[in-house]
Amino acid sequence: MTPWTLVLLALGVSADAFAVALGKGLQLRAHVLRTALVFGAAFGLAQAIMPLLGWLLGSAFAEAIAPFDHWISFGLLALVGGKMLWEALTPDAPADAQHPEHVHDTEAFTVREVVLLAVATSIDALAVGVSFAFLDVNVGVAVAAIGLVTFALSFVAVFVGYRIGTRFRRPAEILGGLVLIGIGTQILIEHLTAG
């Protein structure tokens, strides 16, 4: 996997975290720097751990799956990318003004909230990590890249959400989904045309 592909992959899997951090920034009235640091660190760590776990799981079964590993990589990346596209193009839930129970505390966050959001936004990275077992990729570098890119994007997203709002959420999710589908397709084409 080339460095450029790895960067694109890291951007793709971090799109969910970016969108959630953007939404959190929109809710804030204070403590923006603290929130940006906490969410960036939590999302970055979760996005780094999940692909590592996926790689370990995929490596355990690598020999048995080797004859069709390229199809698994393509399928997982296309599935995750397709899910991101579907979520980005599906209408949002009703507005908070019509459902007061959806209103969040605008000043604070709990450890439970941060952990749940970090895990929820990194599930897709677990599937991507499984595909690492079948690809020519340095897992340490890939995990570090995904974690650092997610930290940076989540950190910035809190500030963007605080200043501008959520207008970039859907484009980020759509772009992330397309990138993952594109990488999966590239892997499949390279394998099928090799040799």
Side-chain angles (χ1 to χ4, degrees):
M1 185 175 287
T2 66
W4 177 243
T5 303
L6 183 56
V7 169
L8 288 175
L9 180 69
L11 289 170
V13 298
S14 64
D16 281 351
F18 177 85
V20 171
L22 205 64
K24 188 62 185 176
L26 183 67
Q27 298 171 353
L28 292 177
R29 299 292 174 269
H31 312 297
V32 182
L33 178 60
R34 180 185 70 162
T35 303
L37 285 170
V38 169
F39 275 83
F43 287 3
L45 184 62
Q47 290 279 10
I49 289 172
M50 287 297 200
L52 181 60
L53 292 176
W55 173 76
L56 291 171
L57 181 64
S59 296
F61 302 101
E63 278 189 36
I65 302 172
F68 45 91
D69 58 4
H70 52 286
W71 287 104
I72 292 174
S73 295
F74 168 73
L76 288 172
L77 292 172
L79 185 66
V80 171
K83 175 180 167 279
M84 290 171 67
L85 286 174
W86 173 262
E87 290 172 352
L89 299 173
T90 302
D92 287 333
D96 285 346
Q98 297 169 343
H99 296 271
E101 69 274 15
H102 294 168
V103 175
H104 301 284
D105 182 353
T106 59
E107 302 296 333
F109 52 84
T110 65
V111 172
R112 180 175 177 269
E113 176 188 9
V114 174
V115 170
L116 286 175
L117 288 173
V119 171
T121 57
S122 63
I123 295 299
D124 293 346
L126 180 70
V128 170
V130 172
S131 72
F132 285 169
F134 316 116
L135 301 174
D136 180 22
V137 60
N138 182 321
V139 175
V141 172
V143 165
I146 291 170
L148 290 171
V149 167
T150 302
F151 169 80
L153 286 180
S154 300
F155 181 85
V156 169
V158 170
F159 283 96
V160 171
Y162 176 69
R163 294 284 182 195
I164 298 174
T166 58
R167 83 175 77 161
F168 298 117
R169 180 180 63 83
R170 282 189 201 280
E173 290 176 340
I174 290 170
L175 182 60
L178 291 174
V179 163
L180 293 182
I181 292 170
I183 292 171
T185 303
Q186 177 191 4
I187 290 166
L188 184 62
I189 290 170
E190 285 176 357
H191 189 280
L192 293 177
T193 57

